[in-house]
Amino acid sequence: MARVYVEAHGCAASYSDSEMISGILSGAGHTLTRDRDESDIGVLVTCSVKDVTANRMIHRIKTMGDKPLVVAGCMPKAEQKTIKRFAGNASMMGPDSIGRTLDVINDTLQGRRRTELSEDKSDKLTLPRVRINQAISIIQIATGCMSDCSFCQTKLAKGDISSHRVGDIVRQVRHDIRDGCREVWLSSTDNGCYGLDIGTDLPTLIDAIVQIDGDFMIRVGMMNPMYMPRIRDSLLKSYESEKVYKFLHIPVQSGSDDTLVGMRRGHTARTFRGMVERFRHRFPESTVSTDVIVGFPTESDGDFADTISLIQDTRPDMVNVSRYAARPGTKAALMPQIDTDTVRQRSRALHEVTTEISLESNERWIGWQGDVLFAETSSAGVRGRNMAYRPIHVHGAKLYSHQSVLVKAATEHGLSGLLV
């Protein structure tokens, strides 16, 4: 039996994969350690969707390569050569090969490099897990996606969509609620196209989960605008449940339709505008989050101006701004690239706009009083979420509890308040 250190990066699905890997190892008798120096072997669950993230993964691969290492997650499928270059003895395991964790670990411990990247028929929902946060159930409702974005490696790593059945997901959620979870994160590469391969959809799944007895909240993960119109009305109806956070993550990526065509996103700026307007009309106290890429190869000054206008008009409460960088294997990597100084300037300009909007958005919550679920810790103490999934820091709050809070202050990053 070995002492194993597991480290995860990236999206909620990556953290869910790390929980399964830890569960399989723990169940087999291995010991999990939080200290890399005390471990016999390391498992690094990677993300490679952005250039900056991939560089961070390379740094961790090099740092952790002094001991037996398994590189898991998206990077092994998208960039095998990169991993071999910096850690030639590391084993590799793809996101759909979690069921082979023990074989990979055992071979690596014995000095044999093993690569498992093919699809494993093991049902991820039934795999054991050791949760990163005992109060949060991360449920992968599907793997893969239906999009073909020209800038993204995710399709290379996870392939086409494969949705889990509603009944199977409901059983897992019910189990996790009985096990003490207070939040349920519905996660996948794109929640918006969930069920298209098995004759169902996301609103049907949400409606089934809210029927489960128990005190819990549901956070619906990212949904691409391309698939929103077909489920819009039923999704808004599903969000009316008190068990669903009024939180919408819908990445627009650009405010220019010309740039969106180059990105192969499958939606227009108008699609995004319409969804945001309807969501806020139905739920005035809510949170809208989006993602924007600046400096895409075809983005002109006019295209970037359209993005600024869209953000100023729709005023998303949270905006994740990323500088475009070519990712190996993607179609956009073959296009002529914009110079880095221009990309940097555009990023800085958009960041200034989004910071102002986020601060203004959070300041509107000053004076709000209501119920907050505390399920997280941070450097500032205990952090909770209100019904709009706004992060609220409160000193003296009891972890894993609901408490009434009065919001007293705000920054562009979140809120702080007092117990009442």
Side-chain angles (χ1 to χ4, degrees), residues 212-396:
I212 298 173
D213 293 333
D215 179 15
F216 65 96
M217 294 293 295
I218 300 169
R219 188 196 77 169
V220 180
M222 186 272 286
M223 297 171 278
N224 278 320
M226 178 178 180
Y227 300 101
M228 298 298 289
R230 70 182 186 89
I231 61 171
R232 182 191 61 214
D233 295 339
S234 55
L235 183 67
L236 292 175
K237 181 67 176 177
S238 298
Y239 263 76
E240 291 179 356
S241 170
E242 294 182 354
K243 290 184 176 180
V244 180
Y245 283 120
K246 307 307 180 277
F247 171 76
L248 183 72
H249 183 189
I250 175 172
V252 66
Q253 303 299 11
S254 175
S256 163
D257 287 348
D258 288 341
T259 301
L260 290 171
V261 169
M263 291 179 169
R264 303 183 67 160
R265 289 290 288 163
H267 70 267
T268 64
R270 183 178 179 181
T271 306
F272 174 79
R273 287 177 185 271
M275 190 64 206
V276 171
E277 289 172 359
R278 286 173 172 82
F279 184 72
R280 283 179 168 158
H281 178 75
R282 184 76 66 92
F283 308 108
E285 289 187 327
S286 61
T287 299
V288 173
S289 175
T290 194
D291 302 342
V292 174
I293 295 173
V294 297
F296 184 78
T298 65
E299 183 185 69
S300 66
D301 290 340
D303 294 327
F304 178 66
D306 288 342
T307 296
I308 292 287
S309 295
L310 179 70
I311 296 301
Q312 290 175 329
D313 290 346
T314 57
R315 308 190 75 75
D317 306 285
M318 300 167 59
V319 182
N320 177 32
V321 179
S322 299
R323 298 176 186 175
Y324 172 81
R327 304 300 301 128
T330 62
K331 298 177 179 65
L334 304 177
M335 301 176 181
Q337 306 294 303
I338 297 176
D339 67 273
T340 55
D341 286 342
T342 299
V343 177
R344 189 180 300 111
Q345 291 169 8
R346 290 176 183 175
S347 174
R348 189 180 301 115
L350 182 57
H351 180 73
E352 291 176 358
V353 172
T354 59
T355 298
E356 178 184 346
I357 292 173
S358 294
L359 177 59
E360 178 187 294
S361 172
N362 284 335
E363 286 178 338
R364 288 199 297 267
W365 287 88
I366 295 175
W368 176 88
Q369 180 176 326
D371 182 74
V372 174
L373 171 60
F374 292 93
E376 305 168 76
T377 58
S378 70
S379 58
V382 178
R383 180 171 61 200
R385 304 278 182 170
N386 67 3
M387 81 296 182
Y389 203 64
R390 296 279 175 149
I392 305 177
H393 297 270
V394 179
H395 289 290

Side-chain angles (χ1 to χ4, degrees), residues 7 9-10 44-48 52-62 75:
E7 179 178 305
H9 297 264
L44 180 66
V45 184
T46 59
C47 173
S48 62
V52 64
T53 308
N55 289 336
R56 189 182 307 126
M57 296 301 94
I58 292 171
H59 172 72
R60 292 304 293 150
I61 289 170
K62 292 163 64 177
M75 201 167 191

Side-chain angles (χ1 to χ4, degrees), residues 365-372 374 382 392-398 402-410 415-420:
W365 287 88
I366 295 175
W368 176 88
Q369 180 176 326
D371 182 74
V372 174
F374 292 93
V382 178
I392 305 177
H393 297 270
V394 179
H395 289 290
K398 183 179 179 182
H402 283 276
Q403 294 184 265
S404 183
V405 170
L406 173 64
V407 175
K408 299 290 289 183
L415 310 172
S416 59
L418 302 172
L419 297 177
V420 295

Side-chain angles (χ1 to χ4, degrees), residues 133-174:
N133 185 324
Q134 295 301 312
I136 297 177
S137 166
I138 307 176
I139 301 291
Q140 291 191 49
I141 64 176
T143 59
C145 69
M146 295 185 66
S147 300
D148 188 28
C149 300
S150 62
F151 57 84
C152 186
Q153 278 189 333
T154 302
K155 194 63 170 282
L156 301 176
K158 296 191 174 183
D160 293 324
I161 189 169
S162 177
S163 304
H164 294 294
R165 297 188 180 279
V166 171
D168 294 336
I169 296 172
V170 168
R171 278 189 290 273
Q172 184 61 46
V173 173
R174 184 179 291 115

Side-chain angles (χ1 to χ4, degrees), residues 172-192:
Q172 184 61 46
V173 173
R174 184 179 291 115
H175 169 273
D176 292 353
I177 298 305
R178 290 173 178 170
D179 201 33
C181 290
R182 309 300 294 275
E183 280 188 5
V184 176
W185 293 3
L186 301 184
S187 173
S188 70
T189 304
D190 179 4
N191 282 354

